[in-house]
Structures are given as C-alpha cells and as structure tokens.
Amino acid sequence: MSSARIYQSREVVLQEIRRGNVCAILVEGEEQGSDASLLKYILRSTTSEVGFFGRDGRARVADDLREMVIQLPIESVFAILDRDFEDSPIVDQCFTPNYRGHRFIWRRFEIENYLLEPAWIAEAIGEFYALQPDRISGFLRSAGEIEQFLLQWAKILSPQAAGNAFIADVTKQIERKKLSVAGRSYFGEIFERDSDYIKSQLLAHYSVYANLAEDILSANAIAQRYEHHLESTILSTTSLAMAHQVISGKLLLKALYHQLSDQEKPRREYIISKLATLASKSVPEDIRFLIQDRILPRWREARRLAQP
C-alpha cells in the first residue's frame, strides 16, 4: 500500500487541484496508513477521478475546506471527516439525497473501523499462519470468534470512549459559554480504560473551574455527565455495527494485534494492507455511497455545465 502524500501547504494543494483533472476530497491524517492512503488504496480499481488530500487534523480539514470552496470552481472540493463524537442527525444528513454541503462525515467512528470486518480479519490471519495454524489464538480462529473478540474489546474500551465523548461534549459547552478553561487532550492509549481512572482524570482537570460554571464543571456535574456517556456507550456495544460508531478502530486494531502470537507475528502494516486489499474487492457501502453516489455526481455535473 502506498504512503500518503508528504504534508503540503494549502497553497500547494490549491495549485495541484487547479492543475489536476480530479475531484478533490480532503481527509484527516498525513502519516502512512492515513485516511488518504487507505482510501486511495481501497478505491484504486473503482475510480480514477478522485484525489485524496490528507490535511492533518479535523480543524485543519474544516479550515482548508472553507477557504478552498471560495477559491476553487464550484463543486471542485469536498471533505470527509471521521465521525468521532458527532450526533447521528448531523451524520445522517450527509447521506440524504438533498444534502448540498461539502463536508461529509463517516457513519463509523473513523476510517479504520471500515477495515474491521470479522471475515476479512479471519482471512488475513489465516493466510499469514497458513503453515502454522496452531499459533492462531483461540479467540481469532473464525469470523464468529473474531466478532465476539471485537465486541468484548469494545466493552473494555467503553470507559475511554465515554471519557472522550465527555471531553468533546464539555468542550462544546465551554466554547458556547465562552469560558476560559484549559482544554484536555483525549485519552488515546489502549491501557487507558479503567472507569475510575478516567473519571478521576476528568474530575482532576475540570473541577478546578467549578466556580466558572457549576452546572457543567462541579464535581457532581462532571460525574453525572461522565456516567451518562458511559451508559450510552455501553448500550452501543451490544452489536458490532453499533460499536463501530463509538469505539476507535485504531484501538481495536491494536487490541487485535496484541492478541496475535508473540512467537511469530506479522507486521502491523501487513494486517492493515491485507484488510485494505480485501476492502478494495468489496468496497464498504458507506465509502462507496458517499464518494460514488453523492460526491462524484456533483463534480461531474459541474464539469459538464462548465464546458463551453
């Protein structure tokens, strides 16, 4: 699988889009294995009309899209963002026929969640250990066992997901109230999954600002809001389809990789590349739908109308 582009300035990307003959789609990430390289690989045999541009984080994607829409010809540039903590109505409107915005959002938490199909994982693992099948963990021998493994880890990671949902939620409240409160980074390590630890970290960071807004930053308000997000997240881990909306695919991939035999283990890049190859043979419906059914027809029609 090819690596993503080296990070380019907005001006360089604008020049490349103007020179090119492709529909530009801005996505998150820059490093190898980023959204741009994964999507390019998954869609390599489906369309040559799309150029993916990794623009670092979510905020930069949004800023670049806003500026590029103004500077480029109509319907030349779009963006697809990770779902992260967006509410379902905001996500769902991107999939409706009458949506005319340029910013789209995946239905799953992030692009890696679309790679985590149990049958694909079983095939990737089975292929690597074809000559040593006894080294495959008992949790990963079949698609059914892998689905249960992913669901189990979704439940294990629920406290972390709830903590991150809390941070996103409270950050919006703080910005709305225009409060001077230091932001807190998201929990991102696979070991950060103990509920008491997550709650204690949130309390330690936010409760010192209680005098600014008791309703959201008092110890009691923080605890209640966290528990609400935890309950909601746990309810979303009853099926894999629902879990993919709230649990990080990157962390599920880490959990999967740790479960492989320590005696002989494929490189992480092998697993991702193999899953992306399988995804390219059966493009996930959300990816196919947003790009082929929603974005490309608008780009093609605008090009048709622009012809003399």
Side-chain angles (χ1 to χ4, degrees):
M1 189 172 65
S2 62
S3 61
R5 304 164 183 264
I6 297 172
Y7 187 78
Q8 300 168 311
S9 69
R10 181 188 296 166
E11 290 69 27
V12 170
V13 172
L14 279 167
Q15 291 174 8
E16 187 169 342
I17 294 172
R18 290 189 180 107
R19 286 197 306 268
N21 191 31
V22 296
C23 173
I25 299 180
L26 312 181
V27 293
E28 299 179 54
E30 279 297 327
E31 73 285 355
Q32 186 170 359
S34 70
D35 291 17
S37 58
L38 282 173
L39 286 165
K40 181 180 178 181
Y41 194 79
I42 290 169
L43 294 168
R44 69 191 191 280
S45 62
T46 305
T47 178
S48 59
E49 297 176 285
V50 179
F52 295 103
F53 296 84
R55 303 306 299 149
D56 197 19
R58 188 185 191 89
R60 188 184 293 274
V61 173
D63 289 344
D64 283 356
L65 178 65
R66 191 179 305 111
E67 290 298 320
M68 290 180 182
V69 164
I70 295 172
Q71 298 185 45
L72 291 168
I74 187 171
E75 307 289 45
S76 294
V77 61
F78 302 83
I80 307 179
L81 299 172
D82 292 340
R83 181 191 182 108
D84 290 343
F85 311 102
E86 289 288 2
D87 295 330
S88 290
I90 295 175
V91 176
D92 291 342
Q93 72 174 351
C94 299
F95 290 81
T96 59
N98 60 347
Y99 178 69
R100 301 303 297 175
H102 291 81
R103 187 189 76 155
F104 294 80
I105 303 171
W106 299 123
R107 278 200 173 107
R108 295 191 178 186
F109 191 83
E110 54 197 1
I111 191 69
E112 287 80 3
N113 290 86
Y114 288 103
L115 302 180
L116 293 171
E117 292 298 325
W120 296 349
I121 297 169
E123 182 173 339
I125 294 173
E127 180 180 289
F128 184 82
Y129 291 105
L131 300 179
Q132 299 170 307
D134 57 308
R135 290 193 174 180
I136 301 176
S137 165
F139 297 105
L140 306 176
R141 292 184 182 276
S142 69
E145 289 170 328
I146 290 169
E147 180 171 356
Q148 290 307 307
F149 174 84
L150 292 174
L151 275 173
Q152 179 188 11
W153 265 96
K155 291 180 172 64
I156 291 171
L157 292 168
S158 289
Q160 181 187 120
N164 288 337
F166 172 96
I167 293 170
D169 182 9
V170 167
T171 299
K172 289 180 182 178
Q173 298 289 330
I174 289 169
E175 291 174 351
R176 190 174 298 121
K177 291 176 177 286
K178 299 181 179 179
L179 303 177
S180 181
V181 175
R184 192 203 186 284
S185 59
Y186 290 118
F187 301 99
E189 299 297 334
I190 199 167
F191 58 78
E192 294 178 301
R193 57 181 190 258
D194 177 75
S195 186
D196 289 339
Y197 167 78
I198 298 293
K199 187 192 296 185
S200 69
Q201 291 296 303
L202 296 174
L203 285 166
H205 182 83
Y206 289 104
S207 63
V208 297
Y209 300 101
N211 62 310
L212 298 179
E214 285 277 339
D215 57 328
I216 60 173
L217 299 175
S218 69
N220 186 53
I222 292 169
Q224 288 185 355
R225 190 181 293 264
Y226 168 72
E227 293 295 341
H228 167 75
H229 282 295
L230 181 60
E231 180 181 354
S232 176
T233 303
I234 291 173
L235 288 174
S236 295
T237 60
T238 55
S239 73
L240 192 54
M242 293 173 64
H244 276 312
Q245 296 181 8
V246 297
I247 304 295
S248 164
K250 291 184 178 69
L251 289 183
L252 289 175
L253 275 168
K254 283 186 179 181
L256 178 70
Y257 189 76
H258 288 319
Q259 190 63 38
L260 297 176
S261 171
D262 289 329
Q263 295 179 338
E264 186 173 352
K265 183 180 292 191
R267 293 182 300 112
R268 286 181 176 85
E269 291 77 11
Y270 167 86
I271 296 294
I272 293 174
S273 180
K274 180 62 178 178
L275 294 176
T277 297
L278 293 169
S280 73
K281 296 176 180 178
S282 181
V283 177
E285 178 59 18
D286 287 350
I287 295 176
R288 187 204 64 76
F289 184 81
L290 282 189
I291 294 171
Q292 293 186 308
D293 291 1
R294 285 290 173 263
I295 293 176
L296 274 175
R298 289 169 55 180
W299 176 78
R300 290 170 182 148
E301 178 64 10
R303 279 168 50 82
R304 184 186 68 79
L305 294 174
Q307 291 177 352

